Amino acid sequence: MNKNIKNIFKLLSSCLIVLTAAPALAANKLEGVRIWAAPESTRVVFDLSAAPEYSSFSLNQPERLVVDLKSTSTKLDLAKLANNSKLVKRVRISKPETKGTLRLVIELQKSVKANLFALAPTAPYGNRLVVDLEDNSVQAKTIAAPNSSLRDIIVAVDAGHGGDDPGSIGPSGMYEKKVVLPIAKRVADKINATPGMKAVMTRSGDYFVNLNKRSELARKSKADLLVSIHADAFTSPQPQGASVWVLSMRRANTEIGRWLEQKEKHSELLGGAGEIIQNTDNEQYLAMTLLDMSMDRSMAISHSVASDVLKDLDRVTELHKPRPESASLAVLKAPDIPSILVETGFISNPKEERLLTSAGHQEKLANAIYTGVVRYFEANAPVDTLLAKKAVIKHKVKKGESLSVIASRYNVSVSSLKQANNLSTDTVRIGQQLLIPGA
């Protein structure tokens, strides 16, 4: 009898082991799939209940990327997946070679370069497997040279975050990526409406652009300045106000070192000078000297532009920092492109979150950023630009003069006169200096 009881216990124990082991075959669950399409790339995100164990391989004729998720199951209907990508036809489930593995096939429109990586949970998302796809056929785009010998001043406008990266999140659940894009678009529109200036946006929709690629896009566009627009956040709701950041010297020195190690990029960074020094005995030392000079110039310009932008932001919002701050921020790292990062306010502050979602406040912030940038370049335009050849006229307001009278005298509109001088009303005072736009 005792022997029979022992056998029964052994049998029950075996069943228990099987039952407890069974879920391990599908310990992870695929809970969602999202496709974020950019003009020349696409990000596919797999939302998972736990950290993924994955592998991948490519197939061609037709082009496919196969992703295997170990010990994973799903109940998703991928036929209903929203997809506006020019690179991805569809995502489907296929039969795996190993039991318990979830095989996902990304059917592609063309050959791509794929990069896969896992991300740990960060609000509002949980565990994710990210697949970045980049069009292999895309050639470097540059701004076409104007017909005349004079060129436009190019400003790269960067809306922070985007796509699967929401940025900071406000008390009501508003994402940073959603408030900075319309501000960036307004800044770009104002720059494009200014004779002698042109804006290039690093992203124009809700998709993610790699931080390194943002400065690369600015360089390919031959930008004179990169302006990155963000919204700040803190762990408590009290902090408020806008600030402007430039690159720290510590990060600058690190970036110079990285560029020096990449000899093939000397020509890209230093232009004609890079080609002259290439393959010479002293290339490393000459490149270091030129890079130091380039970085010193870029950082000086960045600080000046940042100071100008802060003056105008102070007229439309609270300032968190009255002077430019420096930090080791990746988007500012280009040693050859003056770059600033504008924190338009604290989205973690309930009052400022409401303001940042207001179209009226977005317009004020955009106008302040634009005015500060234009004022700098009107006073410091590169000699080969159209803006450098325009005479800057200032008018001193006299008794009996109104804004409309002054606008009529110089054949400009009242609205452009107000915008050039950051005026919120038509009121002017005697002795006030006004900048005449387009003169």
Side-chain angles (χ1 to χ4, degrees), residues 5-159:
I5 291 173
K6 285 181 180 179
N7 289 335
I8 291 170
F9 271 113
K10 282 182 180 179
L11 182 62
L12 289 172
S13 297
S14 299
C15 291
L16 186 61
I17 289 169
V18 171
L19 288 171
T20 54
L25 293 173
N28 208 343
K29 291 190 184 300
L30 177 65
E31 298 176 334
V33 181
R34 288 169 288 126
I35 298 177
W36 301 96
E40 295 163 1
S41 63
T42 293
R43 171 168 283 192
V44 182
V45 182
F46 299 111
D47 294 304
L48 298 148
S49 61
E53 289 185 59
Y54 64 93
S55 60
S56 68
F57 59 91
S58 297
L59 297 171
N60 53 26
Q61 296 183 347
E63 299 289 337
R64 288 152 289 165
L65 178 68
V66 180
V67 180
D68 284 340
L69 296 172
K70 188 178 178 182
S71 303
T72 304
S73 63
T74 189
K75 293 181 180 179
L76 292 177
D77 181 2
L78 299 185
K80 298 178 180 178
L81 188 62
N83 176 23
N84 63 341
S85 170
K86 295 178 181 178
L87 300 180
V88 175
K89 286 182 182 178
R90 64 170 178 151
V91 181
R92 60 178 173 84
I93 295 171
S94 182
K95 187 176 179 180
E97 293 179 354
T98 308
K99 190 175 181 181
T101 295
L102 177 63
R103 171 161 289 184
L104 298 159
V105 179
I106 303 175
E107 295 186 4
L108 302 163
Q109 300 279 8
K110 57 178 73 174
S111 173
V112 301
K113 182 172 70 176
N115 180 33
L116 287 76
F117 55 94
L119 288 176
T122 52
Y125 303 114
N127 284 284
R128 288 153 290 164
L129 175 64
V130 176
V131 182
D132 278 343
L133 307 169
E134 191 169 345
D135 190 346
N136 275 334
S137 64
V138 172
Q139 300 296 318
K141 292 184 178 180
T142 57
I143 300 298
N147 292 330
S148 70
S149 58
L150 300 177
R151 65 176 181 85
D152 288 336
I153 287 173
I154 308 295
V155 180
V157 183
D158 172 53

Side-chain angles (χ1 to χ4, degrees), residues 102-409:
L102 177 63
R103 171 161 289 184
L104 298 159
V105 179
I106 303 175
E107 295 186 4
L108 302 163
Q109 300 279 8
K110 57 178 73 174
S111 173
V112 301
K113 182 172 70 176
N115 180 33
L116 287 76
F117 55 94
L119 288 176
T122 52
Y125 303 114
N127 284 284
R128 288 153 290 164
L129 175 64
V130 176
V131 182
D132 278 343
L133 307 169
E134 191 169 345
D135 190 346
N136 275 334
S137 64
V138 172
Q139 300 296 318
K141 292 184 178 180
T142 57
I143 300 298
N147 292 330
S148 70
S149 58
L150 300 177
R151 65 176 181 85
D152 288 336
I153 287 173
I154 308 295
V155 180
V157 183
D158 172 53
H161 308 282
D164 196 47
D165 175 12
S168 300
I169 304 171
S172 75
M174 175 56 65
Y175 295 163
E176 178 184 357
K177 68 173 185 177
K178 289 188 176 180
V179 299
V180 298
L181 182 59
I183 297 172
K185 284 182 174 179
R186 290 172 187 270
V187 173
D189 288 345
K190 292 174 187 295
I191 290 170
N192 283 327
T194 304
M197 297 190 75
K198 181 179 177 64
V200 177
M201 295 194 69
T202 60
R203 73 174 179 100
S204 56
D206 188 13
Y207 50 85
F208 180 75
V209 178
N210 184 280
L211 291 176
N212 293 328
K213 195 169 183 181
R214 295 175 193 245
S215 54
E216 286 177 16
L217 287 168
R219 182 174 295 108
K220 287 175 182 176
S221 300
K222 302 187 184 302
D224 296 278
L225 176 71
L226 170 65
V227 180
S228 188
I229 299 174
H230 290 252
D232 220 333
F234 196 65
T235 51
S236 64
Q238 287 79 23
Q240 62 178 341
S243 55
V244 183
W245 296 78
V246 296
L247 188 66
S248 70
M249 277 303 300
R250 184 176 179 181
R251 179 62 182 258
N253 291 334
T254 301
E255 291 305 325
I256 286 176
R258 287 176 181 167
W259 277 96
L260 285 170
E261 290 171 3
Q262 302 177 62
K263 287 190 175 184
E264 70 279 3
K265 290 198 173 184
H266 289 177
S267 181
E268 177 187 342
L269 188 65
L270 300 172
E275 293 177 6
I276 292 169
I277 68 172
Q278 202 166 34
N279 300 322
T280 62
D281 292 339
N282 296 318
E283 179 179 352
Q284 188 84 354
Y285 303 104
L286 291 168
M288 181 182 293
T289 302
L290 291 169
L291 280 168
D292 275 335
M293 291 169 62
S294 177
M295 179 61 87
D296 287 346
R297 173 185 169 278
S298 292
M299 294 186 73
I301 293 173
S302 301
H303 200 279
S304 295
V305 176
S307 298
D308 273 343
V309 170
L310 276 168
K311 288 176 188 175
D312 292 283
L313 284 171
D314 194 22
R315 296 187 177 103
V316 300
T317 190
E318 296 283 336
L319 290 185
H320 184 65
K321 301 281 186 180
R323 289 177 293 278
E325 295 289 311
S326 61
S328 182
L329 302 170
V331 76
L332 303 177
K333 72 176 189 175
D336 56 328
I337 304 172
S339 306
I340 65 171
L341 185 145
V342 181
E343 296 281 9
T344 51
F346 276 79
I347 199 170
S348 53
N349 179 292
K351 178 186 173 184
E352 288 203 330
E353 183 194 27
R354 287 193 296 273
L355 282 172
L356 288 169
T357 58
S358 157
H361 190 65
Q362 289 175 358
E363 175 66 18
K364 289 178 182 178
L365 292 169
N367 195 56
I369 296 167
Y370 159 78
T371 304
V373 169
V374 170
R375 186 169 59 249
Y376 171 82
F377 280 116
E378 282 176 335
N380 303 277
V383 293
D384 62 338
T385 62
L386 291 161
L387 207 60
K389 299 302 178 184
K390 290 184 178 180
V392 177
I393 293 180
K394 290 185 178 179
H395 177 86
K396 190 174 183 179
V397 179
K398 299 172 185 174
K399 186 177 180 180
E401 287 185 326
S402 65
L403 205 62
S404 59
V405 167
I406 297 167
S408 177
R409 175 180 170 181

